[in-house]
Amino acid sequence: RVSILLIDAGVWNSLRVAPHTIGRPDINDSMELFSACGIKVFADESSLKERNITACNGYVEKLSRQEAIGLIAESDVLLNFG
């Protein structure tokens, strides 16, 4: 099973924005592809609150910090991008 955890500044990727307005590539297409492939995308609630992000796109599930730690602890392989 593959999961993606957005944490700290990574939670900005949970927003549905027009990429040209922030000068970044469009991650929304990737989020849709992840969902279609059965890859779950999670966002750390603490990171969201720190950035005053209240709504994520429909492909992202919010996790408490404790749940995020559990997801990490149960993982066989971790890839860190940041």
Side-chain angles (χ1 to χ4, degrees):
R1 183 184 96 201
V2 175
S3 299
I4 297 171
L5 174 61
L6 304 173
I7 194 165
D8 295 330
V11 297
W12 291 114
N13 291 301
S14 69
L15 295 174
R16 191 168 240 341
V17 297
H20 66 279
T21 62
I22 58 172
R24 303 294 294 171
D26 189 355
I27 194 164
N28 295 317
D29 292 339
S30 297
M31 292 293 191
E32 290 176 20
L33 177 62
F34 296 151
S35 179
C37 292
I39 298 171
K40 293 192 176 247
V41 180
F42 300 100
D44 172 57
E45 282 182 322
S46 296
S47 298
L48 292 167
K49 287 179 185 174
E50 288 172 8
R51 289 154 183 83
N52 294 318
I53 298 173
T54 56
C56 299
N57 79 33
Y59 303 106
V60 178
E61 183 180 333
K62 296 177 185 177
L63 290 182
S64 70
R65 179 60 56 98
Q66 195 62 37
E67 291 171 317
I69 291 169
L71 181 66
I72 293 167
E74 293 171 1
S75 297
D76 294 325
V77 176
L78 296 173
L79 302 175
N80 183 7
F81 299 95

